[in-house]
Amino acid sequence: MDTHKNLLGGPGPTLLAENEAAKALVATASPAEAAAAHPTYSLAWALLADEAFAGGRTIESYAYARTGYHRGLDALRRSGWKGHGPVPWSHEANRGFLRCLAALARAAGAIDEKDEHERCLQFLRDSSEEAYDQLMV
């Protein structure tokens, strides 16, 4: 029984397909190798963004996050997403996109790009409250 039916008639959740080869490579190689081999795999870009930010390379982090974010938007659209609706954190294949969105918000905030920072935070919260809670602590 589905107890989480959308009573407002909005779109259902978008669930991205997993890329098993990219997932396996991320587990065994560097994020740069994974991104080069699978440039559409947002998780590799999210990992690169996180590494760059942790290393004090904010602009590099911003660029990696933006690349993964746009690759994720492309994947969402191919999966039927129409520009709004839930992108659940609980679905593991969605996490790369959501992590890129959070990393983009973080980097935009760090360079004082206020509008982009706020837009990305709101987009993350609208897509997945759980992701927002996990990633923006």
Side-chain angles (χ1 to χ4, degrees):
M1 173 193 256
D2 182 8
T3 59
H4 300 288
K5 187 180 286 188
N6 184 342
L7 300 177
L8 298 177
T14 301
L15 306 177
L16 295 174
E18 187 60 77
N19 181 333
E20 294 298 336
K23 184 178 176 181
L25 190 57
V26 162
T28 61
S30 73
E33 290 172 307
H38 301 278
T40 62
Y41 192 58
S42 290
L43 181 58
W45 296 105
L47 294 170
L48 286 166
D50 290 347
E51 280 183 2
F53 196 82
R57 299 182 319 274
T58 305
I59 298 302
E60 191 177 319
S61 177
Y62 184 98
Y64 287 138
R66 181 154 303 280
T67 299
Y69 163 79
H70 281 287
R71 292 302 187 128
L73 287 176
D74 292 343
L76 286 168
R77 288 181 187 113
R78 281 191 305 275
S79 294
W81 185 76
K82 303 291 186 211
H84 65 285
V87 181
W89 173 259
S90 60
H91 183 68
E92 189 175 343
N94 290 349
R95 291 183 181 183
F97 166 74
L98 294 166
R99 286 181 61 175
C100 282
L101 185 53
L104 186 55
R106 176 186 63 209
I111 63 172
D112 205 28
E113 189 182 4
K114 290 181 173 103
D115 290 345
E116 183 71 351
H117 174 73
E118 291 301 319
R119 183 190 70 78
C120 289
L121 287 177
Q122 190 61 54
F123 188 8
L124 181 61
R125 183 171 248 154
D126 291 346
S127 296
S128 172
E129 190 75 36
E130 184 180 7
Y132 182 91
D133 291 344
Q134 289 285 323
L135 300 170
M136 303 314 296
V137 282

